[in-house]
Amino acid sequence: MSNRRDLKQLRRAGKLAKYQQCQLAMLELAGITAVTLYAHNQHLTIAIERLTGAPLVDVLREALRDRRQAFKTEAQQVRHAWLEDEWLEGRLVPPAVPSQP
């Protein structure tokens, strides 16, 4: 990509971000909860009344926490598998097991 095109995209993204921040601030001042969904090149902001939005936000927060935990577990499994492969190929020395008296 050319520098001119990159700068144009950056300016456009900056303007969209400022517009979105103003939109969310106005919704918040009006006492409305908003959820923004992002795609590759688009975003959609959905305004929800606070009483209706609270359970939705709780569900989304719980889903994100579950997803984060799943990613953490998967990362630990991948790291463990990688370490085992490295030990089997002799590139790493397995940690010494402490002897018990």
Side-chain angles (χ1 to χ4, degrees):
M1 280 193 182
S2 67
N3 288 337
R4 181 175 284 173
R5 191 180 324 170
D6 292 343
L7 289 174
K8 186 177 179 180
Q9 287 179 344
L10 283 173
R11 279 191 223 109
R12 183 173 174 220
K15 287 179 184 179
L16 286 173
K18 285 180 185 179
Y19 171 75
Q20 183 184 12
Q21 287 175 347
C22 290
Q23 183 183 19
L24 291 174
M26 289 185 338
L27 289 172
E28 187 175 337
L29 289 174
I32 297 174
T33 300
V35 176
T36 304
L37 305 173
Y38 292 94
H40 174 67
N41 59 355
Q42 295 179 351
H43 72 275
L44 171 67
T45 300
I46 303 167
I48 305 169
E49 292 183 20
R50 285 203 189 262
L51 295 176
T52 315
L56 174 66
V57 170
D58 291 341
V59 168
L60 289 174
R61 187 177 295 130
E62 184 179 329
L64 286 172
R65 185 176 52 245
D66 292 344
R67 189 73 176 150
R68 202 173 320 139
Q69 184 64 35
F71 280 139
K72 184 178 178 182
T73 303
E74 184 180 348
Q76 288 174 344
Q77 290 171 350
V78 169
R79 187 179 311 117
H80 184 71
W82 176 80
L83 284 173
E84 282 183 352
D85 288 344
E86 292 293 310
W87 290 333
L88 291 174
E89 293 178 8
R91 287 184 247 171
L92 288 177
V93 178
V97 178
S99 60
Q100 297 179 352

